[in-house]
Amino acid sequence: MLLGSIEAGGTKFVCAVGNEDYRIIDSVHIKTTTPEETLQKTVDYFKQFKDLQAIAVSSFGPIELRKNSPKYGYITNTPKPGWANTDFVGRLKEDFDLPISWTTDVNGSAYGEYVMATLFNEKIESLVYFTIGTGVGAGEIVNGHFIGDIGHPEVGHVRLKRHPDDMDFKGICPYHGDCLEGLVSGPTFEARTGKKGQDIPLTDHVWDIMAFYVAQAAIQETLLFRPAKIVFGGGVVSEPFLKKVRAQFKDLLNDYVDVGDLDKYIVMPLVKNNGSATVGDFALAVEELNK
């Protein structure tokens, strides 16, 4: 069985073909330019595979998830230039008479981590997956189901207590300034320091400031949903950084609730190289095919 995965990011699309065992058979990266050019290249890629059974899309957003909405399958009011009100699923259906699953990029990643946890015999029914990169978002699975009804969560835009050493930084979110994304996404390093994150050593105090904010986001998810674990992926995240996050989390939560071993609660992805969304897409494609 051949399944298609589209991880649609603001910088690139990761398109892959795999099977129901979540194994990648072929993949390609497509630069995100205009909707017309990017979606045409995506369609052309999948047309090579004549036996494709279903496609799953995990897209940057905001997106419309309500199937009773006339804009189901659209990327809606995204700040990504040129992509607002793009009929993503409709464009795919012009060329493919196949079941198409449609969700957010972080939901796809969350589902990939959920599936992999099951394969690793972790007995969990819930988790939260954060991505911290060019943007910030989170997908939440509780009792095996995504959180969200009239829309998907926008965890990247929650508000936080400011770090006392960061009060002068206004944040970079065009909507809210100093929301979570405005304070910890990758571009905030350059906005604060003039340097890219990869060029700043972990000993720099800016990483402590970032950990303070990320720990608050993890506490919010903990107290709202009580997940079995919180997974962090994306270009900003590393195990040494998560060590700082765990320390801040412990200090800020102050043992109010028991989350068990922090090294097993706040973790890096099981799927390496930020490939969680592709695994999740394969699983979601199978589910869509079986509906």
Side-chain angles (χ1 to χ4, degrees):
M1 179 188 297
L2 288 185
L3 306 166
S5 164
I6 303 171
E7 182 186 1
T11 303
K12 67 179 183 294
F13 278 30
V14 180
C15 299
V17 171
N19 58 29
E20 64 271 31
D21 294 325
Y22 319 121
R23 298 186 184 279
I24 295 174
I25 295 168
D26 192 77
S27 66
V28 67
H29 290 187
I30 297 170
K31 185 178 179 181
T32 307
T33 55
T34 64
E36 296 76 18
E37 181 180 31
T38 309
L39 291 175
Q40 185 62 55
K41 288 182 177 179
T42 299
V43 165
D44 290 344
Y45 171 73
F46 285 110
K47 277 184 175 180
Q48 303 174 80
F49 303 93
K50 304 304 181 185
D51 297 325
L52 207 60
Q53 299 294 302
I55 298 172
V57 184
S58 297
S59 175
F60 70 93
I63 67 175
E64 180 57 76
L65 291 173
R66 294 171 292 181
K67 290 193 173 180
N68 63 349
S69 168
K71 288 199 169 183
Y72 171 77
Y74 276 64
I75 295 174
T76 57
N77 60 327
T78 178
K80 176 73 176 172
W83 281 82
N85 295 310
T86 294
D87 186 3
F88 198 129
V89 172
R91 176 65 186 87
L92 295 179
K93 285 187 174 293
E94 290 177 13
D95 287 271
F96 301 104
D97 184 21
L98 299 171
I100 297 176
S101 171
W102 171 245
T103 193
T104 66
D105 47 0
V106 283
N107 273 356
S109 294
Y111 207 69
E113 288 297 307
Y114 179 73
V115 166
M116 289 302 294
T118 303
L119 294 178
F120 277 83
N121 294 316
E122 292 185 24
K123 299 185 185 302
I124 66 170
E125 288 296 323
S126 61
L127 64 77
V128 174
Y129 179 96
F130 275 95
T131 186
I132 305 178
T134 304
V136 177
E140 296 128 331
I141 295 175
V142 175
N143 295 326
H145 299 283
F146 292 128
I147 292 294
D149 187 359
I150 64 170
H152 52 82
E154 283 286 358
V155 179
H157 297 274
V158 298
R159 309 311 292 260
L160 305 164
K161 179 180 179 181
R162 295 300 300 268
H163 192 287
D165 297 337
D166 197 42
M167 300 302 291
D168 292 335
F169 181 59
K170 302 300 184 185
I172 65 168
C173 173
Y175 290 96
H176 311 116
D178 61 349
C179 60
L180 177 63
E181 182 172 289
L183 293 172
V184 305
S185 60
T188 64
F189 285 100
E190 201 159 2
R192 280 191 180 89
T193 69
K195 300 178 183 177
K196 295 187 180 299
Q198 62 263 32
D199 298 326
I200 301 175
L202 263 294
T203 53
D204 193 295
H205 185 46
V206 70
W207 286 102
D208 300 315
I209 292 170
M210 300 280 275
F212 178 75
Y213 296 135
V214 172
Q216 286 184 63
I219 287 172
Q220 290 182 9
E221 297 295 303
T222 295
L223 298 179
L224 283 168
F225 301 113
R226 301 296 275 123
K229 66 177 181 177
I230 301 178
V231 183
F232 283 95
V236 169
V237 177
S238 65
E239 181 57 40
F241 175 60
L242 286 191
K243 186 175 180 180
K244 290 178 177 288
V245 172
R246 293 184 194 107
Q248 295 274 14
F249 180 95
K250 180 175 177 57
D251 182 56
L252 293 169
L253 187 61
N254 198 29
D255 295 324
Y256 180 67
V257 295
D258 180 19
V259 298
D261 185 348
L262 273 180
D263 288 337
K264 295 179 179 178
Y265 182 67
I266 294 176
V267 298
M268 295 284 289
L270 290 169
V271 183
K272 305 305 179 187
N273 301 316
N274 287 313
S276 305
T278 299
V279 172
D281 280 349
F282 290 153
L284 289 168
V286 171
E287 289 191 10
E288 193 71 25
L289 187 61
N290 291 334
K291 285 181 178 178

